[in-house]
Amino acid sequence: MGNCRLVDELNRLRKSSSDSIDGIGAFDDFKKYMHVSRSAEEDLIEILHKIEASGRKSLVLLCGSAGDGKSHLLSYLKNNLRLLDNYVIYNDATESSAPSKTAIETLNESLQGFSDENLERPGENFILAINLGVLSNFVESTYGDSFKQLHKYVINSNILTNQLNEKGYEENSAFQHASFSDYHMYNLTARGVKPEYLEHILEKVFQMDLDNPFYNVYNNNCKECPLSEKCPVKHNFEFLANEKNRNYVANALVEVTIKDKEILTTREILNYIYDIIVAQNFNYKKMAQSLTNEVSFLKEYISDITPSLMYEYTDKSVLLNQLQKYDPLLVRSEQADEDAISYYVSSDVSKEVVSVIDKEAYSKVLCQSSAIEKINSDKVLKAQLFNVLERLKKIKGDIIQDNAYTSFLSTLYYFNTGTTKKYGDFYGLVEEAVIQWCGNEDRDNVCFDDCHEGIALYEHIEFEPYLDIPSNVKKDEELQRFLPFITVKYENKKTGEIIPLDIDYSLYELIYKLAAGYIQTAEDRNNHADFISFIYKILRTGSADKEVSLVTDDNRKAIIEKTKFGVYKFKVVR
């Protein structure tokens, strides 16, 4: 046996695999098996049925990002459900029909039946899979002058914005759309995220079911392999066959999308799954040769198991690079330090190893007495294994999620459901953060000018929250469509100006830390110009036009007050 059948089968998940390229001509058994229904698909099917009932010529836009599954969905609807028999299908609006033409020129020609001039004339239904960037370029181009009605529809439907679109099918319109961008890769609840779609994809690959082509190879071929009991790929497959371990991976991917605004696509997710099962340098013959030296084998094995592959490999994919920032090893705590000291000073780490790994697939290698003996005596091997143990603790739920992240998720849910009693506490955090950023002389006296040597000027701020809960907010226990940021608003009572601030996770984390006493850095100031602008506007609501406190470096204080007669009084307080 010179290669690994399981690795060959898993290769179908990679971006470089022919299986990752979807056309609309065929929908084979593998694609049928891997198909996972999504909310955008449900929206589109509903629209297609209503178009059929209306009898009106329609242009349907299927919007999203590259690799999110538009082509796959069109193929599914065409070949499996036979819903596109009466449609002209334009599958890739990024491609040109001729070398001399741009993609926009080709699109202009293809959509002539839906130009303003031809919109009311009879014609065929048309479905267009298009990336949002291409759609924006087209309606804003010179060709867009002939498609003003389409442009108007795109704007009114909020297709190109981050605002929620709840319209669905529009009666008496020649234009309809469904968008993958209307939905996230996870649902939102009061208890955090629920990454159903990601979990379903992972389940497709790892479920112990004979309908699963990956499991079939694992079940039929791995048992015949003489190296199967030592194989990291087989053990990774078994590790992720555990639903709890898969859920950790799904939630880790969600964390990257929330914290780093990483756009996840189905193609990227499948490629990532491959990357955390099969090491980049995995080679069947090399593994067989390494078995002659147990220490060398163990070092290679530990490097090739999923807890290592998730966090130790760089420049394989954007996702792997992003996830490295959230390696459990980077989370410092008193308990983590104690665990590390205890582990490294111990001459026998068998108890630690067995307590964490015993019920995992990796125990077949790492919990054997000969392996433990080598781990105890080899410093490099011992250090490698410590990293795996700490990551496994996080995967098994023994390490608590960071507070800022969990707080953001609950606040995001309450904001999107308009539950003011629940997210009102966050306004207090924002106010504390503003005070901490500016500096204060007492609770309500906030510094608005410290540019003068030896003197700082303070004003009284009364924060005035402005609440305007939209009438269409949903009180669902589980949200599928929602804004990925929180908006707070304050009112300037002097001018009536409303001062809004959109808060994504990055800014939320800063606000959370500031409220706890954190002092901002130059990097914070460079990264959060929106927060600085918000603070300047809040400072204009203060008492500086009527009363100012002046405090010197040696803590002397005076108050400058403007009287009703327009003159100023100067009073030394201390």
Side-chain angles (χ1 to χ4, degrees):
M1 184 176 183
N3 63 344
C4 177
R5 279 283 293 113
L6 181 57
V7 171
D8 291 343
E9 188 67 19
L10 291 167
N11 258 302
R12 305 177 78 174
L13 301 172
R14 303 179 75 181
K15 286 193 290 187
S16 57
S17 165
S18 59
D19 287 296
S20 74
I21 308 300
D22 282 298
I24 61 170
F27 203 76
D28 61 23
D29 289 341
F30 180 71
K31 287 184 170 61
K32 287 179 185 177
Y33 172 75
M34 291 299 294
H35 180 75
V36 176
S37 180
R38 297 180 65 180
S39 297
E41 173 189 325
E42 296 168 9
D43 290 347
L44 182 56
I45 290 174
E46 181 181 356
I47 286 169
L48 294 174
H49 285 313
K50 289 184 176 180
I51 289 173
E52 184 179 8
S54 74
R56 176 171 184 144
K57 179 185 79 171
S58 298
L59 166 62
V60 182
L61 306 173
L62 178 58
C63 307
S65 304
D68 57 11
K70 296 185 294 297
S71 298
H72 173 88
L73 178 54
L74 289 180
S75 180
Y76 175 72
L77 297 176
K78 179 179 186 293
N79 298 291
N80 251 44
L81 302 187
R82 310 295 300 179
L83 287 176
L84 301 181
D85 290 347
N86 298 319
Y87 283 80
V88 175
I89 303 172
Y90 196 126
N91 185 35
D92 192 350
T94 64
E95 295 294 326
S96 171
S97 62
S100 60
K101 295 178 181 177
T102 66
I104 298 297
E105 288 174 322
T106 301
L107 193 55
N108 174 59
E109 292 176 0
S110 301
L111 294 181
Q112 278 304 306
F114 293 90
S115 66
D116 298 337
E117 182 182 358
N118 298 318
L119 195 57
E120 299 302 325
R121 294 176 182 173
E124 295 179 288
N125 289 332
F126 200 103
I127 187 164
L128 168 65
I130 188 166
N131 294 347
L132 293 175
V134 177
L135 178 61
S136 177
N137 289 339
F138 176 71
V139 296
E140 297 293 344
S141 70
T142 54
Y143 299 112
D145 293 340
S146 301
F147 293 86
K148 291 179 180 177
Q149 290 303 310
L150 173 60
H151 192 179
K152 181 179 178 182
Y153 171 81
V154 169
I155 298 302
N156 290 344
S157 299
N158 289 320
I159 296 176
L160 301 176
T161 72
N162 57 14
Q163 297 302 307
L164 296 181
N165 173 47
E166 302 281 357
K167 291 182 180 178
Y169 177 79
E170 290 197 32
E171 298 280 353
N172 303 317
S173 174
F175 306 109
Q176 308 293 339
H177 86 281
S179 179
F180 285 99
S181 300
D182 282 346
Y183 298 94
H184 304 272
M185 286 286 182
Y186 58 95
N187 296 342
L188 189 64
T189 75
R191 296 166 300 283
V193 297
K194 193 173 179 182
E196 280 190 355
Y197 179 66
L198 292 166
E199 289 172 348
H200 286 324
I201 291 179
L202 286 159
E203 184 181 29
K204 285 287 186 181
V205 178
F206 297 107
Q207 64 183 337
M208 299 295 194
D209 189 309
L210 291 176
D211 289 336
N212 178 0
F214 303 104
Y215 175 71
N216 263 325
V217 173
Y218 162 86
N219 191 48
N220 296 326
N221 294 83
C222 288
K223 65 177 64 172
E224 299 174 1
C225 174
L227 305 180
S228 65
E229 292 307 305
K230 302 282 189 178
C231 179
V233 177
K234 175 177 178 285
H235 294 165
N236 289 339
F237 190 88
E238 292 167 349
F239 177 74
L240 290 170
N242 182 316
E243 184 179 2
K244 186 175 181 180
N245 296 337
R246 292 201 304 269
N247 289 348
Y248 174 83
V249 173
N251 280 284
L253 290 172
V254 169
E255 190 171 357
V256 169
T257 69
I258 293 173
K259 290 185 174 181
D260 298 305
K261 297 184 178 179
E262 186 65 37
I263 298 174
L264 280 187
T265 66
T266 302
R267 189 182 300 164
E268 290 288 347
I269 294 163
L270 293 174
N271 189 76
Y272 172 77
I273 292 172
Y274 175 87
D275 284 340
I276 64 172
I277 312 172
V278 184
Q280 188 172 14
N281 58 353
F282 178 81
N283 180 281
Y284 181 88
K285 290 182 179 179
K286 183 182 175 184
M287 189 182 88
Q289 293 168 356
S290 72
L291 289 171
T292 58
N293 183 310
E294 189 170 10
V295 172
S296 296
F297 163 71
L298 287 171
K299 289 177 181 177
E300 192 76 25
Y301 178 86
I302 292 173
S303 294
D304 289 358
I305 60 178
T306 295
S308 298
L309 295 176
M310 285 184 70
Y311 298 109
E312 290 188 2
Y313 285 76
T314 56
D315 300 327
K316 282 185 68 178
S317 73
V318 173
L319 273 179
L320 282 173
N321 287 347
Q322 295 284 27
L323 274 164
Q324 280 196 327
K325 295 190 297 186
Y326 308 111
D327 187 344
L329 292 171
L330 300 178
V331 178
R332 300 307 304 269
S333 68
E334 189 175 331
Q335 183 61 53
D337 290 343
E338 289 178 4
D339 289 347
I341 293 169
S342 174
Y343 178 87
Y344 281 110
V345 300
S346 175
S347 59
D348 181 9
V349 296
S350 56
K351 287 184 180 179
E352 290 92 330
V353 174
V354 171
S355 68
V356 177
I357 299 181
D358 186 39
K359 294 182 180 180
E360 302 295 346
Y362 309 125
S363 64
K364 299 169 188 176
V365 171
L366 298 176
C367 289
Q368 302 306 306
S369 57
S370 62
I372 296 288
E373 182 182 335
K374 298 294 187 296
I375 291 164
N376 284 331
S377 60
D378 189 289
K379 290 183 179 180
V380 174
L381 194 55
K382 189 176 182 180
Q384 267 187 292
L385 189 60
F386 175 78
N387 294 348
V388 168
L389 295 177
E390 290 302 300
R391 290 164 182 151
L392 281 172
K393 286 179 188 177
K394 178 70 177 288
I395 292 171
K396 290 154 70 80
D398 296 339
I399 297 176
I400 299 172
Q401 187 64 263
D402 68 270
N403 292 333
Y405 182 60
T406 53
S407 176
F408 174 76
L409 294 177
S410 61
T411 306
L412 185 65
Y413 172 80
Y414 293 130
F415 167 70
N416 275 280
T417 54
T419 315
T420 54
K421 291 180 181 179
K422 291 288 188 180
Y423 77 84
D425 287 346
F426 180 58
Y427 274 77
L429 276 183
V430 172
E431 291 157 22
E432 292 286 351
V434 170
I435 291 169
Q436 175 68 12
W437 183 283
C438 297
N440 63 311
E441 189 261 332
D442 57 37
R443 174 61 183 86
D444 295 321
N445 266 2
V446 178
C447 180
F448 68 94
D449 187 346
D450 60 357
C451 297
H452 309 286
E453 186 176 350
I455 296 174
L457 301 179
Y458 295 81
E459 64 176 338
H460 179 73
I461 298 284
E462 288 188 7
F463 294 93
E464 189 65 39
Y466 178 83
L467 302 179
D468 58 340
I469 306 303
S471 58
N472 62 343
V473 294
K474 291 189 175 182
K475 300 290 185 180
D476 299 350
E477 290 187 7
E478 188 172 317
L479 301 179
Q480 292 185 320
R481 292 186 184 190
F482 53 89
L483 293 172
F485 54 84
I486 303 156
T487 300
V488 295
K489 295 180 181 179
Y490 287 85
E491 184 176 3
N492 185 333
K493 285 292 190 179
K494 301 178 191 175
T495 63
E497 177 192 9
I498 305 303
I499 307 168
L501 177 65
D502 292 337
I503 302 168
D504 60 9
Y505 176 77
S506 176
L507 181 51
Y508 188 99
E509 183 182 36
L510 176 64
I511 288 170
Y512 191 91
K513 291 193 298 183
L514 285 167
Y518 171 79
I519 297 176
Q520 71 270 18
T521 64
E523 184 179 3
D524 294 325
R525 290 189 285 272
N526 290 334
N527 291 340
H528 296 290
D530 51 346
F531 188 49
I532 293 172
S533 175
F534 169 77
I535 289 173
Y536 284 155
K537 291 176 182 177
I538 288 292
L539 291 176
R540 290 204 294 266
T541 70
S543 66
D545 57 342
K546 294 181 179 178
E547 182 179 294
V548 172
S549 295
L550 183 154
V551 180
T552 64
D553 284 351
D554 57 0
N555 205 33
R556 289 181 295 167
K557 179 179 178 181
I559 294 176
I560 304 172
E561 181 182 4
K562 185 178 182 181
T563 69
K564 292 181 179 180
F565 302 101
V567 296
Y568 292 91
K569 286 184 178 180
F570 183 87
K571 180 171 64 175
V572 175
V573 178
R574 63 173 183 260

